[in-house]
């Protein structure tokens, strides 16, 4: 059997044995990835197979539950929706499976409506993603800006970092080259520009873009790592351990004296993204101070 068939068979056994009863929520795709050590696409395909057998069905606001779709859901009339429900479902899918898993068809299936019905509430997918970004940032209000310019900039950077930490898809959804018009993002930009009022205008704008690019760039590592772990079942620490011997051999054979010096005496680096973010932020602000205001 293929991997998805193995997962589907185990869930089918639990349902037929009564371990999962009608109305019970079955494990989410994320839980299946963790419990069976399979990729996200495999877990999704297993649930789709059970849906095709009418053993399970999506329940709006709940997840996938045991039993065929209720009679009302099989009629032509659509359940009542609102924009916030669609946006929340989009965020839930992106949080659990990444932005690549997001589609209008997927959201419609989860909410038990037709795909075309969604367009009345959020427009197309691009418009939905902008609304998802706006809602996600709304979970992290800025608060009063500190008087000291350096602390004001750091506050905005840390708010963005916290948002990226909670929603790993958020960094890839925000564009720096073609910035979307996100209502809740504009006050963040304004707060940084206010903190840089003593700078020459073009320097202030370049600083603001560079700051957001730095925070977003580090955050993209988290999303990539989540996807790699889901696809391979290997954590970052496990991967580093597996590569250690190969790296040691490459350093020994190559003309890499700085590497050899770094790793001498059993030096062990703690790879902590939160600490790395704070270190980089301090370097950014120190460099800005060294350049001087008005530069």
């Amino acid at each position: 059997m293929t991997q998805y068939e193995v997962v589907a068979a185990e869930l089918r056994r639990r349902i037929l044995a009564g371990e999962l009863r009608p109305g019970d929520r079955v494990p989410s795709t994320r839980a299946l990835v963790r419990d069976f050590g399979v990729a996200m696409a495999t877990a999704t395909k297993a649930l789709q197979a059970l849906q095709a057998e009418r053993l399970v069905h999506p329940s709006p606001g709940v997840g996938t539950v045991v039993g065929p779709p209720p009679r009302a859901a099989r009629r032509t009339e659509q359940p009542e929706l609102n924009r916030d429900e669609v946006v929340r479902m989009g965020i839930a899918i992106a949080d659990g499976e990444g932005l690549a898993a997001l589609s209008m068809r997927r959201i419609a299936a989860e909410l038990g409506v037709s795909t075309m019905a969604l367009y009345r509430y959020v427009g197309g997918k691009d418009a939905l993603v902008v609304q998802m970004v706006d809602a996600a940032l709304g979970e992290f209000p800025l608060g009063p800006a500190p008087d000291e310019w350096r602390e004001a900039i750091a506050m905005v950077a840390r708010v963005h970092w916290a948002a990226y930490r909670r929603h790993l898809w958020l960094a890839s959804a925000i564009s720096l080259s073609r910035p979307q018009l996100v209502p809740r993002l504009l006050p963040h930009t304004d707060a940084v520009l206010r903190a840089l009022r003593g700078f020459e205008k073009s320097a202030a704008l370049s600083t603001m873009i560079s700051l957001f690019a730095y925070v977003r760039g580090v955050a993209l590592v988290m999303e990539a790592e989540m996807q790699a772990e889901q696809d391979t079942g290997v954590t970052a620490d496990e991967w580093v351990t597996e590569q250690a011997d190969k790296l040691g051999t490459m350093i020994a054979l190559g003309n890499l004296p700085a590497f050899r010096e770094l790793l001498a005496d059993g030096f062990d680096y703690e790879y902590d993204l939160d600490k790395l973010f704070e270190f980089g932020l301090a370097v950014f602000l120190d460099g800005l101070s060294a350049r001087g205001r008005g530069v």
Side-chain angles (χ1 to χ4, degrees), residues 18-291:
E19 296 174 19
L20 289 171
R21 299 177 179 277
D24 286 351
R25 182 179 177 182
V26 301
S28 65
T29 51
R30 198 168 193 174
L32 294 176
V33 168
R34 182 191 63 237
D35 295 343
F36 289 86
V38 296
M40 185 64 69
T42 300
T44 301
K45 192 172 181 179
L47 291 181
Q48 290 173 341
L50 295 178
Q51 287 183 37
E53 297 173 31
R54 302 181 69 78
L55 289 174
V56 301
H57 72 277
S59 177
V62 178
T64 302
V65 299
V66 177
R71 187 178 302 275
R74 295 197 293 266
R75 295 200 301 262
T76 57
E77 60 264 24
Q78 300 288 326
E80 289 297 320
L81 276 182
N82 60 58
R83 187 188 68 86
D84 288 343
E85 283 183 282
V86 179
V87 172
R88 284 198 303 271
M89 180 57 71
I91 290 175
I93 293 170
D95 281 349
E97 304 175 36
L99 204 58
L102 183 71
S103 69
M104 301 297 276
R105 179 177 295 180
R106 172 68 187 280
I107 294 173
E110 294 288 352
L111 293 174
V113 300
S114 69
T115 303
M116 293 305 298
L118 299 180
Y119 289 87
R120 287 188 295 154
Y121 301 98
V122 294
K125 181 180 175 181
D126 290 343
L128 169 62
V129 171
V130 172
Q131 293 170 69
M132 288 166 54
V133 170
D134 190 55
L137 289 174
E139 299 171 15
F140 299 87
L142 280 181
D147 293 331
E148 203 273 319
W149 70 270
R150 182 179 175 120
E151 286 303 313
I153 291 174
M155 178 194 70
V156 177
R158 287 172 181 140
V159 165
H160 275 228
W161 181 248
Y164 292 144
R165 263 302 203 183
R166 180 177 295 179
H167 302 289
L168 299 186
W169 53 271
L170 187 57
S172 61
I174 293 178
S175 173
L176 291 178
S177 60
R178 300 187 179 189
Q180 305 100 319
L181 297 180
V182 181
R184 290 188 176 99
L185 184 57
L186 292 177
H188 297 207
T189 303
D190 189 72
V192 175
L193 292 175
R194 276 187 281 123
L196 297 170
R197 275 178 175 158
F199 285 64
E200 187 271 325
K201 288 184 178 181
S202 63
L205 187 59
S206 295
T207 298
M208 181 270 295
I209 296 172
S210 298
L211 174 72
F212 289 153
Y214 163 68
V215 183
R216 178 178 178 270
V218 180
L220 285 171
V221 176
M222 294 188 291
E223 182 187 28
E225 172 52 31
M226 179 194 73
Q227 190 61 54
E229 186 171 335
Q230 289 177 345
D231 290 343
T232 67
V234 178
T235 68
D237 289 339
E238 290 169 343
W239 186 88
V240 170
T241 300
E242 291 175 0
Q243 302 298 316
D245 290 340
K246 294 179 183 178
L247 176 61
T249 300
M250 293 173 67
I251 292 173
L253 295 176
N255 183 24
L256 304 168
F259 254 123
R260 285 198 296 272
E261 182 179 345
L262 178 68
L263 300 178
D265 304 320
F267 173 74
D268 185 21
Y269 179 70
E270 181 187 3
Y271 185 70
D272 184 311
L273 273 178
D274 289 314
K275 292 180 180 178
L276 180 65
F277 162 72
E278 287 292 341
F279 178 84
L281 178 60
V283 170
F284 181 93
L285 295 172
D286 288 345
L288 202 56
S289 297
R291 286 180 64 91

